[in-house]
Amino acid sequence: MSAELPDGASAGLHRVARWISRWPLRLPFRVKVRGRERIPRSGPVVLVANHSSLLDGPLLLGMVPRPMVFLIKQEMFSGALGWFLTRIGQIGVRRGEPDRTPLLTAVRVLKGGGVVGVFPEGTRGSGEIDNAQHGAAWLARASGAQILPVACRGTRRPEGSGRRLLPRIDVLFGEPISPAGGKGRAGLVAATETVRDELVALIAELDRQVADRTIDDVRGKRA
C-alpha cells in the first residue's frame, strides 16, 4: 500500500475511484480547469477549497494527478458508501467533537508525501469562505506541507433554478503557499487567516475570469 494513503486503504481501489472521478463523473458537465500546472507533483500538500456541493470533493479527486484523501464528515461513513470511502483512503471527521485521531491520520499521510484535501469552512455553504476553521493550517504546520488553494464554481445549482443541461463547472488552482505564523494558538489563527485570504482572493479571480468569458460569449453571439 502507498504511504500516501491511510492504513487499510486499497491503492488499486483508489485508482479506480480517481478514474471514475476523472471520466464518468464529469460526463454530465462542461468542466474547465485552469492552473493545473501549479499542482506540486511531489511532497506533502494540503489542498484547500471552497465547498458548495457534494460534487466538489469527487471532482477534485479526479483532477489532481496524485493519490489524494479528503477529510469528510463522519456521517457519510455508513453502509456500502462508508466501506467504499474507507477503502479508497478517505478520512472521517466528527464535527464539533475534540477528536484528534483523524488529524493525526492525515499528518501521517502528509509525512508520507501525500495530499490531503480540506474544506476550511467545515461544511457546505455558499462557497464564499465566510469563515475558516484551523484544520488546514494545523496540518500544514504539523507536517511541513505546502497549502494549495483551489476555487470551484458551478457545482451548486442556483436557488430556484431547474435542472441544467450540461452545466459549466469552473476550477482554478492557485499557487502553493507556506503560510507564516508564530507558535501557539495566535500563530495558528494568523496562519488560518492567511489561508482564508488566499482562497478568497482566488475565488474572486475565478469569478472575474468567468464573468469575462460570459461577456465574450455574448459578444460572440451578437457578432
Short mmCIF file of all heavy atoms in Angstrom, two decimals, residues 4-64:
data_model
loop_
_atom_site.label_atom_id
_atom_site.label_comp_id
_atom_site.label_asym_id
_atom_site.label_seq_id
_atom_site.Cartn_x
_atom_site.Cartn_y
_atom_site.Cartn_z
N GLU A 4 1.09 7.25 0.74
CA GLU A 4 0.26 8.42 0.51
C GLU A 4 -1.20 8.18 0.87
O GLU A 4 -2.03 9.08 0.72
CB GLU A 4 0.36 8.85 -0.95
CG GLU A 4 1.76 9.27 -1.36
CD GLU A 4 1.86 9.56 -2.85
OE1 GLU A 4 1.54 8.68 -3.65
OE2 GLU A 4 2.24 10.70 -3.19
N LEU A 5 -1.52 6.97 1.33
CA LEU A 5 -2.89 6.64 1.75
C LEU A 5 -2.87 6.12 3.18
O LEU A 5 -1.87 5.58 3.64
CB LEU A 5 -3.48 5.57 0.82
CG LEU A 5 -3.67 5.94 -0.65
CD1 LEU A 5 -4.16 4.74 -1.44
CD2 LEU A 5 -4.66 7.10 -0.79
N PRO A 6 -3.98 6.25 3.92
CA PRO A 6 -4.03 5.76 5.30
C PRO A 6 -3.96 4.24 5.36
O PRO A 6 -4.22 3.54 4.36
CB PRO A 6 -5.40 6.26 5.80
CG PRO A 6 -5.80 7.33 4.86
CD PRO A 6 -5.20 6.97 3.54
N ASP A 7 -3.62 3.72 6.53
CA ASP A 7 -3.63 2.28 6.74
C ASP A 7 -5.02 1.71 6.44
O ASP A 7 -6.04 2.32 6.80
CB ASP A 7 -3.25 1.95 8.19
CG ASP A 7 -1.80 2.31 8.50
OD1 ASP A 7 -1.02 2.45 7.55
OD2 ASP A 7 -1.48 2.45 9.70
N GLY A 8 -5.05 0.55 5.78
CA GLY A 8 -6.31 -0.10 5.48
C GLY A 8 -6.91 0.28 4.14
O GLY A 8 -7.89 -0.32 3.70
N ALA A 9 -6.33 1.30 3.48
CA ALA A 9 -6.85 1.71 2.17
C ALA A 9 -6.26 0.83 1.08
O ALA A 9 -5.20 0.25 1.23
CB ALA A 9 -6.50 3.17 1.91
N SER A 10 -6.98 0.73 -0.03
CA SER A 10 -6.54 -0.05 -1.18
C SER A 10 -6.06 0.90 -2.27
O SER A 10 -6.85 1.71 -2.78
CB SER A 10 -7.69 -0.91 -1.71
OG SER A 10 -7.41 -1.40 -3.01
N ALA A 11 -4.78 0.81 -2.62
CA ALA A 11 -4.24 1.66 -3.69
C ALA A 11 -4.95 1.39 -5.01
O ALA A 11 -5.22 2.32 -5.79
CB ALA A 11 -2.74 1.45 -3.82
N GLY A 12 -5.27 0.12 -5.29
CA GLY A 12 -5.95 -0.22 -6.53
C GLY A 12 -7.34 0.37 -6.59
O GLY A 12 -7.75 0.93 -7.62
N LEU A 13 -8.09 0.26 -5.50
CA LEU A 13 -9.44 0.81 -5.47
C LEU A 13 -9.41 2.33 -5.53
O LEU A 13 -10.30 2.96 -6.12
CB LEU A 13 -10.18 0.33 -4.22
CG LEU A 13 -11.70 0.46 -4.22
CD1 LEU A 13 -12.30 -0.27 -5.41
CD2 LEU A 13 -12.29 -0.09 -2.92
N HIS A 14 -8.37 2.91 -4.93
CA HIS A 14 -8.22 4.37 -5.00
C HIS A 14 -8.03 4.81 -6.45
O HIS A 14 -8.60 5.82 -6.89
CB HIS A 14 -7.04 4.82 -4.15
CG HIS A 14 -6.88 6.30 -4.08
ND1 HIS A 14 -7.55 7.09 -3.16
CD2 HIS A 14 -6.14 7.16 -4.83
CE1 HIS A 14 -7.23 8.35 -3.34
NE2 HIS A 14 -6.37 8.43 -4.35
N ARG A 15 -7.24 4.05 -7.22
CA ARG A 15 -7.04 4.39 -8.63
C ARG A 15 -8.34 4.28 -9.39
O ARG A 15 -8.63 5.10 -10.29
CB ARG A 15 -5.97 3.48 -9.24
CG ARG A 15 -4.55 3.81 -8.81
CD ARG A 15 -3.54 3.08 -9.68
NE ARG A 15 -3.59 1.63 -9.47
CZ ARG A 15 -2.88 0.99 -8.56
NH1 ARG A 15 -2.06 1.65 -7.75
NH2 ARG A 15 -2.95 -0.33 -8.45
N VAL A 16 -9.17 3.28 -9.08
CA VAL A 16 -10.47 3.14 -9.73
C VAL A 16 -11.35 4.35 -9.42
O VAL A 16 -12.01 4.91 -10.32
CB VAL A 16 -11.17 1.84 -9.27
CG1 VAL A 16 -12.62 1.82 -9.76
CG2 VAL A 16 -10.43 0.62 -9.77
N ALA A 17 -11.35 4.79 -8.16
CA ALA A 17 -12.16 5.94 -7.77
C ALA A 17 -11.71 7.20 -8.51
O ALA A 17 -12.54 8.00 -8.96
CB ALA A 17 -12.06 6.16 -6.26
N ARG A 18 -10.40 7.37 -8.65
CA ARG A 18 -9.90 8.53 -9.38
C ARG A 18 -10.29 8.47 -10.86
O ARG A 18 -10.61 9.49 -11.47
CB ARG A 18 -8.38 8.63 -9.23
CG ARG A 18 -7.93 9.03 -7.82
CD ARG A 18 -6.42 9.03 -7.70
NE ARG A 18 -5.82 9.94 -8.66
CZ ARG A 18 -4.59 9.79 -9.16
NH1 ARG A 18 -3.85 8.74 -8.81
NH2 ARG A 18 -4.11 10.66 -10.01
N TRP A 19 -10.28 7.27 -11.44
CA TRP A 19 -10.70 7.12 -12.84
C TRP A 19 -12.17 7.49 -13.00
O TRP A 19 -12.55 8.19 -13.94
CB TRP A 19 -10.46 5.69 -13.31
CG TRP A 19 -10.85 5.49 -14.74
CD1 TRP A 19 -10.10 5.72 -15.85
CD2 TRP A 19 -12.13 5.02 -15.23
NE1 TRP A 19 -10.82 5.43 -16.99
CE2 TRP A 19 -12.07 5.01 -16.64
CE3 TRP A 19 -13.31 4.62 -14.59
CZ2 TRP A 19 -13.14 4.60 -17.42
CZ3 TRP A 19 -14.38 4.22 -15.38
CH2 TRP A 19 -14.29 4.21 -16.77
N ILE A 20 -13.00 7.03 -12.07
CA ILE A 20 -14.43 7.37 -12.11
C ILE A 20 -14.62 8.88 -12.02
O ILE A 20 -15.42 9.48 -12.74
CB ILE A 20 -15.19 6.67 -10.98
CG1 ILE A 20 -15.20 5.15 -11.20
CG2 ILE A 20 -16.62 7.19 -10.86
CD1 ILE A 20 -15.74 4.36 -10.03
N SER A 21 -13.86 9.52 -11.13
CA SER A 21 -13.96 10.97 -10.95
C SER A 21 -13.47 11.72 -12.17
O SER A 21 -13.98 12.80 -12.50
CB SER A 21 -13.16 11.40 -9.71
OG SER A 21 -13.67 10.81 -8.54
N ARG A 22 -12.46 11.17 -12.84
CA ARG A 22 -11.84 11.86 -13.97
C ARG A 22 -12.67 11.76 -15.24
O ARG A 22 -12.66 12.66 -16.07
CB ARG A 22 -10.45 11.28 -14.23
CG ARG A 22 -9.62 12.09 -15.23
CD ARG A 22 -8.24 11.48 -15.41
NE ARG A 22 -7.52 11.39 -14.16
CZ ARG A 22 -7.11 10.25 -13.59
NH1 ARG A 22 -7.35 9.09 -14.18
NH2 ARG A 22 -6.46 10.26 -12.46
N TRP A 23 -13.43 10.66 -15.41
CA TRP A 23 -14.16 10.45 -16.66
C TRP A 23 -15.67 10.32 -16.48
O TRP A 23 -16.39 11.28 -16.81
CB TRP A 23 -13.57 9.23 -17.39
CG TRP A 23 -12.12 9.40 -17.72
CD1 TRP A 23 -11.06 8.75 -17.17
CD2 TRP A 23 -11.55 10.31 -18.67
NE1 TRP A 23 -9.88 9.19 -17.70
CE2 TRP A 23 -10.15 10.14 -18.63
CE3 TRP A 23 -12.09 11.25 -19.54
CZ2 TRP A 23 -9.29 10.88 -19.43
CZ3 TRP A 23 -11.23 11.98 -20.35
CH2 TRP A 23 -9.85 11.79 -20.28
N PRO A 24 -16.23 9.21 -16.01
CA PRO A 24 -17.70 9.09 -15.97
C PRO A 24 -18.39 10.20 -15.18
O PRO A 24 -19.44 10.71 -15.61
CB PRO A 24 -17.92 7.72 -15.29
CG PRO A 24 -16.68 6.96 -15.56
CD PRO A 24 -15.57 7.97 -15.55
N LEU A 25 -17.81 10.61 -14.03
CA LEU A 25 -18.46 11.63 -13.20
C LEU A 25 -18.56 12.97 -13.91
O LEU A 25 -19.50 13.74 -13.68
CB LEU A 25 -17.70 11.79 -11.88
CG LEU A 25 -18.32 12.74 -10.86
CD1 LEU A 25 -19.68 12.22 -10.39
CD2 LEU A 25 -17.39 12.94 -9.66
N ARG A 26 -17.63 13.25 -14.81
CA ARG A 26 -17.60 14.56 -15.48
C ARG A 26 -18.48 14.62 -16.73
O ARG A 26 -18.69 15.71 -17.29
CB ARG A 26 -16.16 14.93 -15.85
CG ARG A 26 -15.33 15.27 -14.64
CD ARG A 26 -13.86 15.47 -14.98
NE ARG A 26 -13.62 16.53 -15.95
CZ ARG A 26 -12.44 17.13 -16.10
NH1 ARG A 26 -11.41 16.77 -15.35
NH2 ARG A 26 -12.27 18.07 -17.01
N LEU A 27 -19.00 13.48 -17.18
CA LEU A 27 -19.76 13.46 -18.43
C LEU A 27 -20.96 14.41 -18.44
O LEU A 27 -21.23 15.03 -19.48
CB LEU A 27 -20.22 12.02 -18.74
CG LEU A 27 -19.12 11.05 -19.21
CD1 LEU A 27 -19.70 9.65 -19.39
CD2 LEU A 27 -18.48 11.54 -20.50
N PRO A 28 -21.72 14.55 -17.33
CA PRO A 28 -22.89 15.44 -17.39
C PRO A 28 -22.55 16.93 -17.29
O PRO A 28 -23.46 17.76 -17.26
CB PRO A 28 -23.72 15.01 -16.16
CG PRO A 28 -23.11 13.75 -15.66
CD PRO A 28 -21.68 13.81 -16.05
N PHE A 29 -21.25 17.26 -17.26
CA PHE A 29 -20.86 18.65 -17.04
C PHE A 29 -19.87 19.12 -18.10
O PHE A 29 -19.21 18.32 -18.76
CB PHE A 29 -20.20 18.82 -15.65
CG PHE A 29 -21.02 18.26 -14.52
CD1 PHE A 29 -20.74 17.01 -14.00
CD2 PHE A 29 -22.08 18.98 -14.00
CE1 PHE A 29 -21.48 16.48 -12.97
CE2 PHE A 29 -22.83 18.47 -12.96
CZ PHE A 29 -22.54 17.21 -12.45
N ARG A 30 -19.78 20.43 -18.25
CA ARG A 30 -18.71 21.05 -19.04
C ARG A 30 -17.71 21.62 -18.04
O ARG A 30 -17.97 22.64 -17.40
CB ARG A 30 -19.27 22.15 -19.93
CG ARG A 30 -20.20 21.66 -21.04
CD ARG A 30 -20.84 22.82 -21.76
NE ARG A 30 -21.74 23.55 -20.87
CZ ARG A 30 -22.04 24.85 -20.98
NH1 ARG A 30 -21.50 25.56 -21.95
NH2 ARG A 30 -22.87 25.43 -20.14
N VAL A 31 -16.58 20.95 -17.88
CA VAL A 31 -15.62 21.30 -16.84
C VAL A 31 -14.43 22.03 -17.46
O VAL A 31 -13.80 21.54 -18.40
CB VAL A 31 -15.14 20.06 -16.08
CG1 VAL A 31 -14.14 20.45 -14.99
CG2 VAL A 31 -16.33 19.31 -15.47
N LYS A 32 -14.13 23.20 -16.92
CA LYS A 32 -12.97 23.98 -17.35
C LYS A 32 -12.01 24.10 -16.17
O LYS A 32 -12.38 24.67 -15.14
CB LYS A 32 -13.41 25.37 -17.83
CG LYS A 32 -12.27 26.29 -18.20
CD LYS A 32 -11.55 25.84 -19.45
CE LYS A 32 -10.50 26.84 -19.89
NZ LYS A 32 -9.78 26.40 -21.11
N VAL A 33 -10.81 23.60 -16.31
CA VAL A 33 -9.81 23.63 -15.24
C VAL A 33 -8.66 24.52 -15.65
O VAL A 33 -8.10 24.37 -16.74
CB VAL A 33 -9.29 22.21 -14.92
CG1 VAL A 33 -8.32 22.25 -13.74
CG2 VAL A 33 -10.45 21.27 -14.61
N ARG A 34 -8.29 25.45 -14.79
CA ARG A 34 -7.16 26.34 -15.02
C ARG A 34 -6.14 26.18 -13.90
O ARG A 34 -6.50 25.92 -12.76
CB ARG A 34 -7.61 27.80 -15.09
CG ARG A 34 -8.68 28.11 -16.13
CD ARG A 34 -9.14 29.55 -16.00
NE ARG A 34 -10.15 29.92 -16.97
CZ ARG A 34 -11.46 29.73 -16.82
NH1 ARG A 34 -11.91 29.12 -15.72
NH2 ARG A 34 -12.31 30.11 -17.74
N GLY A 35 -4.87 26.38 -14.21
CA GLY A 35 -3.82 26.35 -13.20
C GLY A 35 -3.40 24.96 -12.77
O GLY A 35 -2.71 24.83 -11.75
N ARG A 36 -3.74 23.93 -13.53
CA ARG A 36 -3.37 22.58 -13.13
C ARG A 36 -1.86 22.41 -13.02
O ARG A 36 -1.37 21.59 -12.24
CB ARG A 36 -3.94 21.56 -14.13
CG ARG A 36 -4.02 20.15 -13.58
CD ARG A 36 -4.23 19.15 -14.71
NE ARG A 36 -5.43 19.44 -15.48
CZ ARG A 36 -6.61 18.89 -15.27
NH1 ARG A 36 -6.76 18.02 -14.30
NH2 ARG A 36 -7.64 19.20 -16.03
N GLU A 37 -1.10 23.19 -13.80
CA GLU A 37 0.36 23.09 -13.75
C GLU A 37 0.93 23.55 -12.41
O GLU A 37 2.11 23.30 -12.11
CB GLU A 37 0.97 23.91 -14.89
CG GLU A 37 0.88 25.41 -14.75
CD GLU A 37 -0.49 26.00 -15.10
OE1 GLU A 37 -1.38 25.22 -15.53
OE2 GLU A 37 -0.66 27.22 -14.94
N ARG A 38 0.13 24.21 -11.60
CA ARG A 38 0.59 24.69 -10.29
C ARG A 38 0.57 23.60 -9.21
O ARG A 38 1.10 23.80 -8.12
CB ARG A 38 -0.27 25.86 -9.84
CG ARG A 38 -0.19 27.08 -10.74
CD ARG A 38 -1.27 28.08 -10.40
NE ARG A 38 -1.15 29.31 -11.17
CZ ARG A 38 -2.09 30.24 -11.25
NH1 ARG A 38 -3.24 30.07 -10.59
NH2 ARG A 38 -1.89 31.33 -11.96
N ILE A 39 -0.03 22.47 -9.51
CA ILE A 39 -0.13 21.39 -8.52
C ILE A 39 1.25 20.78 -8.31
O ILE A 39 1.86 20.29 -9.27
CB ILE A 39 -1.11 20.30 -8.99
CG1 ILE A 39 -2.49 20.89 -9.25
CG2 ILE A 39 -1.19 19.19 -7.95
CD1 ILE A 39 -3.46 19.91 -9.91
N PRO A 40 1.79 20.78 -7.08
CA PRO A 40 3.09 20.13 -6.84
C PRO A 40 3.01 18.64 -7.19
O PRO A 40 2.07 17.96 -6.79
CB PRO A 40 3.32 20.35 -5.35
CG PRO A 40 2.48 21.55 -5.00
CD PRO A 40 1.27 21.45 -5.87
N ARG A 41 4.00 18.17 -7.90
CA ARG A 41 4.00 16.77 -8.34
C ARG A 41 4.57 15.83 -7.29
O ARG A 41 4.53 14.61 -7.46
CB ARG A 41 4.77 16.63 -9.65
CG ARG A 41 4.11 17.31 -10.85
CD ARG A 41 2.64 16.90 -10.98
NE ARG A 41 2.06 17.27 -12.26
CZ ARG A 41 1.29 18.32 -12.46
NH1 ARG A 41 1.04 19.15 -11.45
NH2 ARG A 41 0.75 18.56 -13.64
N SER A 42 5.14 16.37 -6.22
CA SER A 42 5.67 15.53 -5.15
C SER A 42 5.67 16.33 -3.85
O SER A 42 5.50 17.55 -3.86
CB SER A 42 7.09 15.06 -5.48
OG SER A 42 7.97 16.17 -5.59
N GLY A 43 5.85 15.62 -2.75
CA GLY A 43 5.90 16.27 -1.45
C GLY A 43 4.52 16.45 -0.84
O GLY A 43 3.50 16.36 -1.53
N PRO A 44 4.48 16.72 0.47
CA PRO A 44 3.19 16.86 1.16
C PRO A 44 2.45 18.13 0.77
O PRO A 44 3.06 19.20 0.68
CB PRO A 44 3.60 16.89 2.64
CG PRO A 44 5.01 17.40 2.64
CD PRO A 44 5.63 16.87 1.38
N VAL A 45 1.16 17.99 0.54
CA VAL A 45 0.32 19.12 0.13
C VAL A 45 -1.02 19.05 0.85
O VAL A 45 -1.65 17.99 0.90
CB VAL A 45 0.06 19.11 -1.40
CG1 VAL A 45 -0.92 20.21 -1.79
CG2 VAL A 45 1.36 19.26 -2.17
N VAL A 46 -1.43 20.18 1.42
CA VAL A 46 -2.79 20.31 1.95
C VAL A 46 -3.59 21.14 0.94
O VAL A 46 -3.30 22.33 0.75
CB VAL A 46 -2.81 21.00 3.33
CG1 VAL A 46 -4.25 21.18 3.82
CG2 VAL A 46 -2.01 20.19 4.35
N LEU A 47 -4.54 20.51 0.27
CA LEU A 47 -5.38 21.20 -0.70
C LEU A 47 -6.58 21.79 0.04
O LEU A 47 -7.26 21.09 0.78
CB LEU A 47 -5.84 20.22 -1.78
CG LEU A 47 -6.72 20.75 -2.90
CD1 LEU A 47 -6.46 19.96 -4.19
CD2 LEU A 47 -8.20 20.64 -2.54
N VAL A 48 -6.81 23.09 -0.15
CA VAL A 48 -7.96 23.75 0.49
C VAL A 48 -8.87 24.31 -0.60
O VAL A 48 -8.40 24.94 -1.55
CB VAL A 48 -7.52 24.86 1.47
CG1 VAL A 48 -6.76 24.28 2.64
CG2 VAL A 48 -6.68 25.92 0.78
N ALA A 49 -10.16 24.07 -0.46
CA ALA A 49 -11.11 24.50 -1.49
C ALA A 49 -12.39 25.00 -0.85
O ALA A 49 -12.76 24.59 0.26
CB ALA A 49 -11.43 23.34 -2.43
N ASN A 50 -13.07 25.92 -1.55
CA ASN A 50 -14.41 26.31 -1.13
C ASN A 50 -15.36 25.15 -1.39
O ASN A 50 -15.09 24.28 -2.22
CB ASN A 50 -14.87 27.58 -1.83
CG ASN A 50 -14.87 27.45 -3.34
OD1 ASN A 50 -14.02 26.79 -3.94
ND2 ASN A 50 -15.84 28.08 -3.98
N HIS A 51 -16.49 25.13 -0.67
CA HIS A 51 -17.34 23.94 -0.68
C HIS A 51 -18.80 24.35 -0.74
O HIS A 51 -19.35 24.92 0.20
CB HIS A 51 -17.08 23.15 0.61
CG HIS A 51 -17.67 21.78 0.62
ND1 HIS A 51 -17.89 21.04 -0.52
CD2 HIS A 51 -18.07 20.99 1.66
CE1 HIS A 51 -18.40 19.86 -0.19
NE2 HIS A 51 -18.51 19.82 1.13
N SER A 52 -19.44 24.07 -1.88
CA SER A 52 -20.86 24.42 -2.03
C SER A 52 -21.71 23.26 -2.51
O SER A 52 -22.93 23.40 -2.63
CB SER A 52 -21.01 25.59 -3.02
OG SER A 52 -20.43 25.28 -4.27
N SER A 53 -21.10 22.09 -2.78
CA SER A 53 -21.85 20.94 -3.30
C SER A 53 -21.13 19.65 -2.97
O SER A 53 -19.89 19.63 -2.80
CB SER A 53 -22.00 21.07 -4.82
OG SER A 53 -22.44 19.87 -5.41
N LEU A 54 -21.88 18.56 -2.90
CA LEU A 54 -21.28 17.24 -2.69
C LEU A 54 -20.37 16.84 -3.85
O LEU A 54 -19.54 15.94 -3.73
CB LEU A 54 -22.39 16.18 -2.53
CG LEU A 54 -23.12 16.14 -1.19
CD1 LEU A 54 -24.30 15.18 -1.26
CD2 LEU A 54 -22.18 15.74 -0.06
N LEU A 55 -20.51 17.51 -4.99
CA LEU A 55 -19.68 17.19 -6.16
C LEU A 55 -18.24 17.67 -6.01
O LEU A 55 -17.34 17.15 -6.69
CB LEU A 55 -20.27 17.84 -7.41
CG LEU A 55 -21.43 17.12 -8.10
CD1 LEU A 55 -22.01 18.03 -9.18
CD2 LEU A 55 -20.97 15.80 -8.70
N ASP A 56 -17.99 18.66 -5.15
CA ASP A 56 -16.68 19.29 -5.10
C ASP A 56 -15.56 18.28 -4.86
O ASP A 56 -14.57 18.23 -5.60
CB ASP A 56 -16.66 20.37 -4.01
CG ASP A 56 -17.62 21.50 -4.28
OD1 ASP A 56 -17.81 21.84 -5.47
OD2 ASP A 56 -18.20 22.03 -3.33
N GLY A 57 -15.69 17.48 -3.80
CA GLY A 57 -14.65 16.53 -3.46
C GLY A 57 -14.41 15.48 -4.55
O GLY A 57 -13.26 15.29 -4.99
N PRO A 58 -15.45 14.77 -5.00
CA PRO A 58 -15.25 13.77 -6.05
C PRO A 58 -14.64 14.32 -7.33
O PRO A 58 -13.79 13.68 -7.94
CB PRO A 58 -16.66 13.23 -6.29
CG PRO A 58 -17.37 13.44 -4.99
CD PRO A 58 -16.82 14.72 -4.45
N LEU A 59 -15.05 15.53 -7.74
CA LEU A 59 -14.48 16.10 -8.95
C LEU A 59 -13.00 16.44 -8.77
O LEU A 59 -12.18 16.17 -9.64
CB LEU A 59 -15.26 17.35 -9.37
CG LEU A 59 -16.63 17.12 -10.02
CD1 LEU A 59 -17.37 18.43 -10.20
CD2 LEU A 59 -16.48 16.41 -11.36
N LEU A 60 -12.65 17.02 -7.63
CA LEU A 60 -11.26 17.36 -7.38
C LEU A 60 -10.39 16.11 -7.29
O LEU A 60 -9.22 16.13 -7.69
CB LEU A 60 -11.14 18.18 -6.09
CG LEU A 60 -11.65 19.62 -6.18
CD1 LEU A 60 -11.70 20.25 -4.79
CD2 LEU A 60 -10.76 20.45 -7.09
N LEU A 61 -10.95 15.03 -6.78
CA LEU A 61 -10.20 13.78 -6.68
C LEU A 61 -9.67 13.35 -8.05
O LEU A 61 -8.57 12.80 -8.15
CB LEU A 61 -11.09 12.68 -6.09
CG LEU A 61 -10.43 11.32 -5.85
CD1 LEU A 61 -9.41 11.41 -4.72
CD2 LEU A 61 -11.49 10.26 -5.52
N GLY A 62 -10.45 13.59 -9.09
CA GLY A 62 -10.03 13.20 -10.43
C GLY A 62 -9.16 14.23 -11.14
O GLY A 62 -8.58 13.92 -12.17
N MET A 63 -9.08 15.44 -10.60
CA MET A 63 -8.29 16.49 -11.25
C MET A 63 -6.84 16.52 -10.79
O MET A 63 -5.96 16.98 -11.53
CB MET A 63 -8.93 17.86 -10.97
CG MET A 63 -10.28 18.06 -11.59
SD MET A 63 -10.98 19.66 -11.12
CE MET A 63 -12.66 19.46 -11.75
N VAL A 64 -6.59 16.08 -9.56
CA VAL A 64 -5.23 16.10 -9.03
C VAL A 64 -4.50 14.84 -9.49
O VAL A 64 -4.99 13.73 -9.27
CB VAL A 64 -5.27 16.17 -7.49
CG1 VAL A 64 -3.86 16.07 -6.90
CG2 VAL A 64 -5.93 17.47 -7.04
#
